[in-house]
Amino acid sequence: MFAEIVAPAGWRTVDLISDLHLQASDTATFGAWQGYLETTPADAIFILGDLFEVWIGDDAATLPGFEAQCAELLRTAAERRPVYFMHGNRDFLVGAAFAAQCGLTLLDDPTVLVLHDKRWLLSHGDALCLEDTEYLRFRAQVRTPEWKQAVLARPMEERRALARSVRAQSEDRKQSPGMVWADVDPDAARDWLRQANASTLVHGHTHKPATHALGDGLERIVLSDWDVTAHPARAQLLCISSAGAQRVDLR
Ligand code: MN
């Protein structure tokens, strides 16, 4: 059974965002996110993974710096409304300490959100990209408590260096000729939707915003990533309400 969150009757709109890939070097996207958090009228915010380009451990946010700035913004936002956080493949090391520091509620992947009698199945999306078997093996390894504990026990500077080298490897892989990014497997998505007794899957991860019909009235809505330095700039959320789902461009 998938985890389930039943929205209180008073919620009118819920924002879904993912794949902001926040990092200290991209102050423009950070600024857009800050402006968004300070102005959104949503009754709840669901972050569906890869909020951060990389997360090396919750202890990083206890020192002055970029992670602490992000924590402060999240804490202020979460004082005004619930903020939920689902892990992505970049920030899967976000833990209970950071959630407590910011007032976030951590979400299982996937989770069903019941809003106005409709069931929305929420996921980051990476677990459904079945073609990328190499990544799925890596994912299975690094999500174990043993792996996480072993990495988090290393000195912070060592973890920063490790993150840089993993990122460089991933950039190399992106440049390699013939590289095709795996997409969400439609059969797996349908299977999850049936298990969840839901008709709409919302996910991020692939950076290919679109709405795909999956047959039998099922669909998947793919969230946009954020990059305010791109042309045109990308900073988009999905707002869901009793009227359905609507994309809102902030730039
Ligand atoms: Mn991702």
Side-chain angles (χ1 to χ4, degrees):
M1 271 303 278
F2 294 151
E4 195 171 291
I5 290 192
V6 180
W11 286 9
R12 286 156 305 147
T13 64
V14 170
D15 286 351
L16 307 176
I17 59 174
S18 74
D19 302 279
L20 283 82
H21 292 266
L22 296 175
Q23 50 196 312
S25 59
D26 183 356
T27 52
T29 302
F30 177 84
W33 178 60
Q34 175 172 23
Y36 158 71
L37 287 180
E38 289 170 357
T39 55
T40 178
D43 296 303
I45 298 173
F46 283 71
I47 300 167
L48 300 187
D50 288 357
L51 175 64
F52 302 108
E53 170 70 4
V54 67
W55 193 256
I56 60 158
D58 294 352
D59 50 347
T62 63
L63 307 173
F66 178 70
E67 289 89 350
Q69 281 176 37
C70 292
E72 186 55 28
L73 289 187
L74 285 166
R75 195 185 61 74
T76 306
E79 276 174 357
R80 294 165 57 192
R81 71 182 73 70
V83 179
Y84 295 88
F85 183 98
M86 184 181 285
H87 296 107
N89 51 303
R90 300 303 195 107
D91 50 19
F92 68 93
L93 282 177
V94 166
F98 185 70
Q101 180 181 352
C102 306
L104 306 177
T105 302
L106 295 178
L107 290 176
D108 287 350
D109 186 353
T111 287
V112 178
L113 168 63
V114 186
L115 178 72
H116 305 126
D117 297 330
K118 182 172 161 81
R119 298 170 64 80
W120 302 82
L121 182 60
L122 312 180
S123 176
H124 181 57
D126 55 325
L128 287 167
C129 293
L130 302 187
E131 276 181 2
D132 197 347
T133 50
E134 191 183 326
Y135 166 70
L136 289 176
R137 266 198 304 276
F138 171 78
R139 186 185 197 273
Q141 179 196 358
V142 302
R143 299 290 178 105
T144 60
E146 294 76 21
W147 191 94
K148 290 195 231 178
Q149 271 166 26
V151 162
L152 292 173
R154 297 193 196 175
M156 200 183 298
E157 273 322 302
E158 203 179 309
R159 282 178 272 143
R160 285 207 192 277
L162 179 68
R164 277 193 297 271
S165 88
V166 169
R167 180 143 183 258
Q169 281 171 32
S170 139
E171 290 299 317
D172 283 353
R173 199 167 157 240
K174 269 189 222 167
Q175 307 299 330
S176 64
M179 176 67 204
V180 177
W181 287 104
D183 205 346
V184 161
D185 185 272
D187 288 329
R190 279 189 286 268
D191 189 48
W192 270 22
L193 282 165
R194 290 199 187 97
Q195 282 184 60
N197 190 27
S199 57
T200 304
L201 167 67
V202 181
H203 69 84
H205 181 63
T206 61
H207 300 197
K208 289 187 239 181
T211 298
H212 300 276
L214 295 168
D216 303 323
L218 307 180
E219 63 176 352
R220 72 180 170 97
I221 300 177
V222 189
L223 301 175
S224 175
D225 66 320
W226 287 38
D227 185 352
V228 172
T229 67
H231 301 283
R234 298 190 300 278
Q236 189 186 75
L237 60 97
L238 190 76
C239 180
I240 62 175
S241 67
S242 56
Q246 189 179 16
R247 293 182 192 274
V248 179
D249 282 306
L250 302 170
R251 276 292 190 283

